[in-house]
Amino acid sequence: MTTELCAYSVESCSIAARCGATRVELCAAPYEGGTTPSAAAIRMARRIPGLQLSVMIRPRGGDFLYSDAEFRQMIEEVRFARDEGADCAVFGLLTADGRVDRERTAALVAEAGPMRAVFHRAFDMARDLPEALETVIRTGCARILTSGGCNTAEEGLEPLRRLVRRAAGRIEIMAGSGVNPANVGRIAATGIDAVHFSARSMRESGMTWRNPAISMGGVPGIPEFASPCADEGIVRRILCALDACGRS
């Protein structure tokens, strides 16, 4: 079973390599569901030995209907990831009526060149998953990240099974969203090709002075004196649970 850590820092990429995960998906902006990481983060992650690198290509949070300017930016970001030696580019584009944007997705696949192209969980926002699956396959993508059209992969167990059967080996199906040590075995049993997880924890800030009068982000509920990180213990427990499933 291929394993992928959703990493929001170079440090998390190092944790993935240390624990023996197959691959990382490097992103920025966890509270927006992931956007394109910085150039420096891509370069530093690429230097970590023994780790496949997927790079998120998403110019902003929100929906997956992009303007012409945003699409041009995505082309440039794919090109940069390719030139830096990334293994995969991760993106997802929809039309206004909730279908996979075949033309633009195929253009990004072509720009990726030797990199493998991954269609991310924009797939789960499509109006018709079987139709979306066939369209993504036709674009030349190698992999789909999905929770089966549900909030979490555990809720989407049966849809994931159906997607695996329908894909019939034509494209990899990778399950993500809410994957943890307790449910990863059930998710893997759907027949998917890979699991994707963040193993997220929060690291408390070292700041002793905290100005109570100012909110830099201005978004209620988002902590300003703690940051999300990958928990090495959770990563190891997920991998161990998968190993146990394989042995049984």
Side-chain angles (χ1 to χ4, degrees), residues 45-113:
R46 180 68 288 175
R47 294 176 192 144
I48 298 171
L51 190 66
Q52 294 178 29
L53 175 62
S54 293
V55 175
M56 172 64 78
I57 306 298
R58 189 178 177 213
R60 56 164 172 79
D63 64 32
F64 305 104
L65 178 67
Y66 296 110
S67 69
D68 290 344
E70 289 169 336
F71 178 66
R72 290 194 297 271
Q73 180 178 334
M74 294 172 80
I75 288 281
E76 292 289 338
E77 289 170 342
V78 168
R79 187 174 298 142
F80 180 83
R82 182 195 67 205
D83 292 346
E84 291 300 316
D87 298 289
C88 309
V90 184
F91 42 76
L93 305 91
L94 299 178
T95 60
D97 62 350
R99 292 181 166 85
V100 171
D101 188 330
R102 180 179 175 181
E103 181 178 345
R104 283 178 161 187
T105 300
L108 291 178
V109 172
E111 190 64 43

